[in-house]
Amino acid sequence: MSGFVGVVVSDPSLQGQFTQVELRSLKAKFVTLKRESGHVTTKNLPGLMKKLRGLNEVVSEEEIAAFLSESYPVSDQEIEFESFLWEYLNLQARVSAKEGSATGTGGGAGRGKNSSSFLKSTITTLLHNLNQAEKSSYVAHINTYLREDPFLKKYLPIDPSGNQLFDLIRDGVVLCKLINVAVPGTIDERAINKKRVLNPWERNENHTLCLNSAKAIGCTVVNIGTQDLVEGRPHLVLGLISQIIKIQLLADLNLKKTPQLVELFDDSKDIDEVLSLSPEKMLLKWMNHHLKKAGYKKIVNNFSSDVKDGEAYAYLLKALAPETSPETTMETKDPDKRAKMILEQAEKLDCKRYLTPKDITEGSANLNLAFVAQIFHHRNGLTSDVKQATLTQTATRDDILVSREERAFRMWINSLGVETYVNNVFEDVRNGWVLLEVLDKVSPGSVNWKLASKPPIKMPFRKLENCNQVIKIGKELKFSLVNLAGNDIVQGNKKLIVALLWQLMRFNILQLLNRLRSHSKGSQGKQITDADILNWANNKVKASGRTSRIESFKDKSLSNGVFFLELLSAVQPRVVNWKVVTKGEADDEKKLNATYIISVARKLGCSVFLLPEDIIEVNQKMILTLTASIMYWSLQRTPLSQSDMSEPSEPSSMASDVASDIGSEDGASTAAPSECEEVNSLSDSISNLATDDATSNAPPAENGNGEAGS
């Protein structure tokens, strides 16, 4: 296994879209065509693509040629292998979208993924033909939520009929602001370059910050780069905006934010299963709950075909707001008239109109979902009985820390581009399939897919087989799995699952760092260790002329954030605006520095998922992953020398910490749970750092206000 290389492409996000079996097959077909024709071009490629899985008997060569002409207007233009892979993915997405619009989203059709449809869909799954209704809706949303922003108000409102949205997107400020609307505090605005006219490097930094922050709130953006946003490519821009807005609208669709949702479930329902529901499924559950009470006989399974006739909306509004819902709405036979009446009633509830009557009758899934989410926010009709919601309000300190871990692992796994979108780590890994997908990403070729069972899995022993293979591969990768068995994963042992995922992420980051080091002089096959990362950071700061130094990743001096700011400044001069940095003495000053560090790291190109609390509390694993993320970004641009890591340092004890986590008698992890989120941030940063090629040749960055430093 150690000698397996497989087909490797330069972009990790692209590599993550395929298994090695698929890559070898596609590479063989591509090479054969190139050998036979001399070149692979837009002229001879359609014949090959017509025969590929997912396209044969679905799309014609003429349609493929027309599709390619959108990206390659020059006739008979040569196409390289990686470009071929991207076009294959995009064409598959178009075919899937076309089929979805024809068949609806209900009835269990599709590939059987247990994911929220809007989050699972990558940016390139959107049609190149713009949906004008969605565009107008998104523009209205931006105008509503950002109209009072001090910087943007002079540019708003945006006219939905033209291309003003895509022009305004080009400097990156709007998207950064929109992310903060969706998940407040995600981006420290001091890190955004804001001035009337930005140079190309400032725009690129804003878009890098935007994409890395979008990943950190749960957006799937593996197929979009900073240049796509700089150019304002409409289908990619709308795809990203769609995800950000939906995350905002569905933010309260969980038991933590809205404990009254427990009313939707009977007492026999396992709480972990309830917590694992995606926001979209929770919204459907809520809608059907009220429809049943109102006497509606059907079950709504989607936000397209099942709501097109408007009957479900009529019953829903009758149940939630009978004072504004006349009987004539349900009696009306004309779907168009009913849709118009529904929107008039919703307007009385102060629901923002995300859609038109036509969007209802045509079954626009995205806009109907947004509409229902708005109804939920304004009138959810749930009990305010505190006793009924007690189940979700008894979280202990450990529960909070475990929740932070779960978030970190979830973001990291989803950033890898695995097929299954993870909504709740501890539930979604129990069948073993997601973990096998992760292993295939971090160690290509390690999974024997012939022995794996894909969800949905009805037979319990099949789940155990998957989990046993996970343990087997983990041991081959030298993980410490003394007291961890496949059944522990099936049973959902949270602390043991955390220990396993931590080792997966640490393996991933060290593997990528070692890959870069192998190209450096004097590496002599040595493997990078935690101590090497520590020494590299100290040496970088020292070489920049500063005196800060840390003794370990547990050094309490890290709490004020100054060392990390000096490290970021050392790897990219002037990226830090020192005018906004505090001394980090009081708690509020530490919080300001910590939030700034995270945004500056993302702006630089590090895709990290840690929270400010992880820096303030000096969570050892979190600190390691943040440092390694910065190191990885730096080494992509500056070759590693032996002196960078030559300073002796006390060996890190993190590997033994993991062993003790798994090896303890009760199976409990002794590490602070929140530290594992840091691990997540590290690996995620690694998986995404390589995608931001546009920053690699950038000159020294301007400060956080878009002004050159002195």
Side-chain angles (χ1 to χ4, degrees):
M1 184 183 66
S2 60
F4 180 83
V5 177
V7 178
V8 179
V9 296
S10 61
D11 188 342
S13 65
L14 177 58
Q15 178 108 22
Q17 297 294 319
F18 301 94
T19 66
Q20 274 299 311
V21 173
E22 291 171 332
L23 281 174
R24 289 197 297 271
S25 176
L26 291 170
K27 183 74 170 182
K29 290 180 172 64
F30 185 87
V31 170
T32 299
L33 178 60
K34 188 171 185 178
R35 184 170 58 247
E36 293 175 350
S37 306
H39 298 283
V40 176
T41 67
T42 52
K43 188 174 183 179
N44 59 24
L45 187 56
L48 168 62
M49 298 186 75
K50 174 70 173 67
K51 302 174 184 177
L52 298 179
R53 187 181 67 180
L55 303 182
N56 55 338
E57 300 181 0
V58 177
V59 62
S60 67
E61 287 189 35
E62 292 73 18
E63 289 174 317
I64 295 175
F67 169 78
L68 292 174
S69 67
E70 296 177 6
S71 300
Y72 303 92
V74 179
S75 178
D76 206 20
Q77 184 173 344
E78 185 171 359
I79 296 180
E80 298 299 329
F81 179 62
E82 292 190 21
S83 298
F84 157 64
L85 294 179
W86 281 123
E87 296 307 325
Y88 178 36
L89 287 174
N90 290 335
L91 190 53
Q92 279 186 315
R94 174 169 292 194
V95 170
S96 297
K98 182 178 180 181
E99 291 177 340
S101 64
T103 62
T105 58
R111 302 174 66 182
K113 299 177 185 178
N114 58 342
S115 62
S116 170
S117 61
F118 84 84
L119 284 176
K120 178 55 195 170
S121 298
T122 57
I123 295 302
T124 52
T125 63
L126 295 166
L127 289 173
H128 288 260
N129 296 324
L130 298 181
N131 186 318
Q132 293 299 328
E134 290 192 13
K135 174 189 169 186
S136 297
S137 176
Y138 302 154
V139 167
H141 184 93
I142 292 172
N143 287 338
T144 299
Y145 284 93
L146 294 177
R147 62 187 175 190
E148 299 300 326
D149 182 85
F151 179 79
L152 291 176
K153 61 183 180 181
K154 58 178 174 286
Y155 302 106
L156 301 179
I158 300 171
D159 180 2
S161 63
N163 291 322
Q164 186 182 357
L165 171 65
F166 307 116
D167 293 335
L168 193 57
I169 288 296
R170 295 176 190 273
D171 66 5
V173 178
V174 171
L175 290 176
C176 287
K177 297 274 189 178
L178 192 61
I179 287 172
N180 271 351
V181 170
V183 183
T186 299
I187 297 176
D188 189 322
E189 294 213 4
R190 294 173 296 173
I192 304 174
N193 296 320
K194 291 178 291 186
K195 61 183 183 181
R196 190 170 184 83
V197 180
L198 299 178
N199 64 45
W201 311 113
E202 292 167 334
R203 286 198 298 269
N204 186 78
E205 285 180 339
N206 280 351
H207 289 308
T208 301
L209 173 60
C210 163
L211 289 178
N212 284 323
S213 299
K215 296 169 191 172
I217 66 171
C219 293
T220 303
V221 295
V222 293
N223 294 337
I224 186 171
T226 55
Q227 191 59 30
D228 297 316
L229 299 181
V230 170
E231 294 173 1
R233 296 180 64 182
H235 62 291
L236 297 177
V237 169
L238 289 183
L240 180 57
I241 291 176
S242 172
Q243 292 191 79
I244 295 171
I245 290 177
K246 286 173 181 176
I247 286 174
Q248 174 190 345
L249 294 177
L250 300 182
D252 293 339
L253 266 297
N254 59 75
L255 291 179
K256 294 175 183 176
K257 292 287 187 68
T258 311
Q260 293 80 11
L261 284 168
V262 73
E263 179 185 333
L264 308 183
F265 306 93
D266 57 53
D267 294 336
S268 64
K269 201 76 170 180
D270 187 282
I271 186 60
D272 287 329
E273 184 179 349
V274 174
L275 291 172
S276 70
L277 281 180
S278 69
E280 187 174 355
K281 289 182 178 179
M282 188 71 83
L283 187 61
L284 283 171
K285 183 78 174 177
W286 168 82
M287 186 176 184
N288 283 310
H289 170 77
H290 286 298
L291 290 178
K292 183 178 180 180
K293 290 171 64 175
Y296 190 61
K297 303 301 182 182
K298 302 176 184 177
I299 299 295
V300 176
N301 295 307
N302 58 69
F303 294 106
S304 55
S305 60
D306 286 1
V307 297
K308 289 172 66 173
D309 59 11
E311 288 185 2
Y313 285 146
Y315 276 89
L316 180 64
L317 291 173
K318 182 69 175 177
L320 296 174
E323 73 279 7
T324 64
S325 305
E327 294 293 336
T328 53
T329 306
M330 290 185 283
E331 296 171 355
T332 302
K333 302 300 181 182
D334 186 337
D336 294 318
K337 290 182 179 179
R338 182 186 293 123
K340 183 178 180 180
M341 296 173 69
I342 287 168
L343 293 183
E344 290 173 351
Q345 294 167 33
E347 195 73 21
K348 295 177 183 178
L349 298 180
D350 197 29
C351 291
K352 296 180 178 63
R353 297 183 61 163
Y354 280 90
L355 73 176
T356 64
K358 183 179 179 182
D359 297 322
I360 293 179
T361 57
E362 291 186 350
S364 174
N366 281 342
L367 298 184
N368 277 288
L369 182 148
F371 178 58
V372 177
Q374 278 293 306
I375 296 175
F376 173 84
H377 283 293
H378 287 84
R379 188 75 67 91
N380 65 35
L382 299 174
T383 179
S384 57
D385 185 359
V386 178
K387 181 182 293 185
Q388 189 168 8
T390 301
L391 179 64
T392 62
Q393 296 180 331
T394 57
T396 64
R397 169 68 176 170
D398 286 344
D399 292 332
I400 295 173
L401 294 177
V402 168
S403 176
R404 284 169 58 184
E405 287 179 350
E406 189 279 329
R407 169 195 170 274
F409 288 122
R410 172 163 36 92
M411 299 300 180
W412 173 66
I413 292 173
N414 289 331
S415 78
L416 296 176
V418 297
E419 182 178 333
T420 306
Y421 190 89
V422 176
N423 291 297
N424 181 288
V425 168
F426 300 126
E427 276 299 306
D428 293 348
V429 303
R430 290 175 64 177
N431 60 26
W433 181 261
V434 173
L435 292 174
L436 290 174
E437 288 186 290
V438 173
L439 282 164
D440 191 55
K441 297 297 182 184
V442 303
S443 181
S446 62
V447 178
N448 185 343
W449 292 110
K450 293 181 179 179
L451 300 179
S453 298
K454 185 175 182 178
I457 305 174
K458 296 182 180 180
M459 304 299 291
F461 75 92
R462 294 295 184 190
K463 298 179 182 179
L464 183 59
E465 286 178 347
N466 282 352
C467 294
N468 284 339
Q469 185 177 179
V470 169
I471 299 300
K472 177 177 177 293
I473 297 171
K475 291 179 178 178
E476 292 173 352
L477 296 177
K478 309 301 182 184
F479 292 175
S480 177
L481 304 174
V482 179
N483 284 344
L484 179 59
N487 194 53
D488 293 313
I489 301 174
V490 175
Q491 295 300 319
N493 187 313
K494 293 182 179 181
K495 292 185 177 180
L496 295 183
I497 290 172
V498 163
L500 172 62
L501 287 173
W502 152 238
Q503 292 187 82
L504 268 171
M505 285 188 276
R506 182 174 179 274
F507 172 83
N508 188 21
I509 182 60
L510 293 179
Q511 179 188 52
L512 290 168
L513 287 172
N514 282 315
R515 190 177 301 165
L516 289 179
R517 189 183 188 188
S518 66
H519 300 294
S520 303
K521 294 181 179 179
S523 62
Q524 299 175 346
K526 296 179 180 178
Q527 298 295 302
I528 290 179
T529 65
D530 299 352
D532 291 329
I533 298 172
L534 179 69
N535 289 334
W536 173 86
N538 279 325
N539 287 330
K540 271 293 180 183
V541 172
K542 182 179 180 180
S544 70
R546 299 183 181 273
T547 57
S548 294
R549 173 184 171 81
I550 57 174
E551 298 300 324
S552 71
F553 295 118
K554 297 184 289 186
D555 196 316
K556 294 302 180 183
S557 67
L558 288 165
S559 179
N560 63 22
V562 174
F563 179 84
F564 278 122
L565 290 167
E566 291 182 350
L567 178 60
L568 288 163
S569 180
V571 300
Q572 180 64 293
R574 292 189 294 167
V575 71
V576 176
N577 179 7
W578 289 100
K579 294 179 181 179
V580 302
V581 175
T582 73
K583 294 181 179 180
E585 295 175 350
D587 289 343
D588 58 339
E589 291 182 341
K590 291 180 179 180
K591 181 70 175 289
L592 285 171
N593 282 354
T595 55
Y596 188 54
I597 288 167
I598 294 171
S599 289
V600 169
R602 289 173 178 159
K603 175 180 177 179
L604 190 65
C606 304
S607 180
V608 293
F609 298 127
L610 75 168
L611 298 174
E613 290 77 12
D614 297 309
I615 296 175
I616 297 170
E617 296 171 8
V618 192
N619 289 327
Q620 182 184 1
K621 294 175 183 175
M622 248 332 179
I623 296 299
L624 167 67
T625 55
L626 174 59
T627 309
S629 298
I630 299 171
M631 180 179 181
Y632 183 79
W633 184 90
S634 178
L635 296 188
Q636 287 180 306
R637 290 145 184 82
T638 305
L640 185 68
S641 66
Q642 194 63 30
S643 61
D644 287 336
M645 302 184 298
S646 61
E647 189 173 356
S649 176
E650 185 175 324
S652 171
S653 62
M654 271 203 282
S656 59
D657 287 346
V658 173
S660 64
D661 291 347
I662 298 181
S664 58
E665 291 183 3
D666 59 357
S669 172
T670 58
S674 61
E675 294 175 353
C676 290
E677 175 182 358
E678 148 202 24
V679 174
N680 173 354
S681 72
L682 169 61
S683 293
D684 194 343
S685 74
I686 302 235
S687 67
N688 296 295
L689 279 171
T691 65
D692 297 312
D693 295 331
T695 63
S696 60
N697 298 315
E702 279 71 33
N703 63 36
N705 294 322
E707 302 169 354
S710 58

